Amino acid sequence: MILRRDLFRLAAATTLSSLTPNLARAEQHAGRGMVSPRIKDIQVIECEPAGVRLTVVKILTDQDGLYGYGCATFTQRADLVRPAVEKYLKPFLLGKATDRIEDIWQSCYDSSYWKNGPVLNNAISGVDQALWDIKGRQAGMPVYQLLGGKCREAVDTYGHAGGEDYADVVSSARHYVEQGFRNVRVQIGVPGMAGYGSSAAGSSNFKPLHDKPLFEPAQYIRRALKMFEVCRQELGDELNLLHDVHERISPNQAVLFCKEVEKFNLFFVEDPLSPEDIDYFRQIRDNCATPLAMGELFNSPHEWQPLLEGRLIDYIRCHLSQVGGLSPARKIAILAEQFGVKTAWHGPGDVSPVGHMAQITLDIVSPNFGIQEYSPFNDRTQAIFHGCPLMKDGYLWVNEAPGWGIEVDEKEAAKSPFTPSKNGLNGGWGEIRRLDGTVIKQ
Ligand code: MG
């Protein structure tokens, strides 16, 4: 007769024997955890290979040859990112285990008490992306594999077309079509004005009361509407046309503009409003079905959350390093997916190739990917950043090498240091004013 206590003993013995291999594996794993890489040094690499200041964070570990790179580019305030990394994040992070990416992100985010600012977010992004690079190198996999693998083969992009006049814009757009692009952003200059995406020679019909760059929203709107008409006539209906208002018009003008361009069937209108005016998106939605893209200036969850939850935009286009790196951007992509909003990350020249690789990694793993902004990498950039994303027929291809698949040649980077800016603003932007001298957003 088997007694109850014998049953317990039998069960305990059976459980222990079946657990022994698992315990051994767990101990082994814990052992590996104890020897997981630790942050040994954090360095900042700065360079300016294409007229734009780029900042990259390099994290070195205590394991020989194991390191990673992250983009921390905030070109308009580039000189402030280095001390944010070196004086604040570095002493906070030295000795920490590199494999706890989320924990490191959260603790860095909280360590300044006040948060969601562009300088600090970029510094955290440099660390965050470098840790993902390290994890990929450890795994021997590209980062996209660590995020679940590809949802598509390559990343569809749009190029920047522009010109002084309508014919120039059409010609510039055709240049992209000939390269295989299916999507082109079109911008036109306004004579005598500092237009976004394209300027035009000549002078304004009215004399400004100042000597600064000039911009009048109403004149730009009239010219942009005519540009879309010409582009549709000359380029046909099949080419996807995009446009960036760059938050230069008033909220009411934005409502009217989006309503007027509905007939041109644009892929999207970008930044018709500034972050301060996002409550006006509901008015635009109530008046037209023009697809809306927003978010490149966002730094805080309080900015993107209401637009996503309210289904008030169609594309979220944050700048990855401005929101704090790959980790928070991935959460934005997943949140957007729940509300039927697609991604269109900000990707012009003020993102380093490391940042571009982080973006297209997110593009390739996100089911709700929409489109990717593209900016070419010149020869100097490719001499510094080995392994830039490959562009072919309008598609960007992610690297298959471990991590981001990018190596930074620091000797080459040193040959392209930050250059003194002509206006003495260290990469910062100057002002643009209306005829009467009023500063406008740019
Ligand atoms: Mg933009």
Side-chain angles (χ1 to χ4, degrees), residues 197-219:
S198 194
S199 55
S203 58
S204 167
N205 293 334
F206 303 98
K207 185 169 169 40
L209 303 181
H210 57 87
D211 59 359
K212 300 297 181 187
L214 172 68
F215 188 83
E216 273 298 327
Q219 291 184 47

Side-chain angles (χ1 to χ4, degrees), residues 280-301:
Y280 279 91
F281 272 110
R282 192 168 295 284
Q283 287 194 29
I284 297 177
R285 274 290 204 241
D286 288 345
N287 280 281
C288 68
T290 296
L292 304 169
M294 181 68 186
E296 80 180 50
L297 288 174
F298 287 172
N299 293 106
S300 164

Side-chain angles (χ1 to χ4, degrees), residues 102 105 128 304 320 323-333 345:
E102 181 66 22
W105 193 94
D128 175 74
W304 59 76
L320 254 62
V323 299
L326 177 76
S327 297
R330 189 181 182 214
K331 293 174 187 174
I332 295 171
W345 309 116

Side-chain angles (χ1 to χ4, degrees), residues 185 196 244 246 270-271 296 317 346 373:
R185 191 190 78 177
Y196 173 75
D244 189 355
H246 225 255
E270 173 184 342
D271 289 4
E296 80 180 50
R317 48 177 287 99
H346 181 240
E373 185 175 21

Side-chain angles (χ1 to χ4, degrees), residues 7-27:
L7 276 174
F8 278 121
R9 281 178 189 154
L10 182 63
T14 306
T15 306
L16 271 176
S17 64
S18 65
L19 273 182
T20 303
N22 288 338
L23 281 171
R25 277 199 292 274
E27 283 169 5

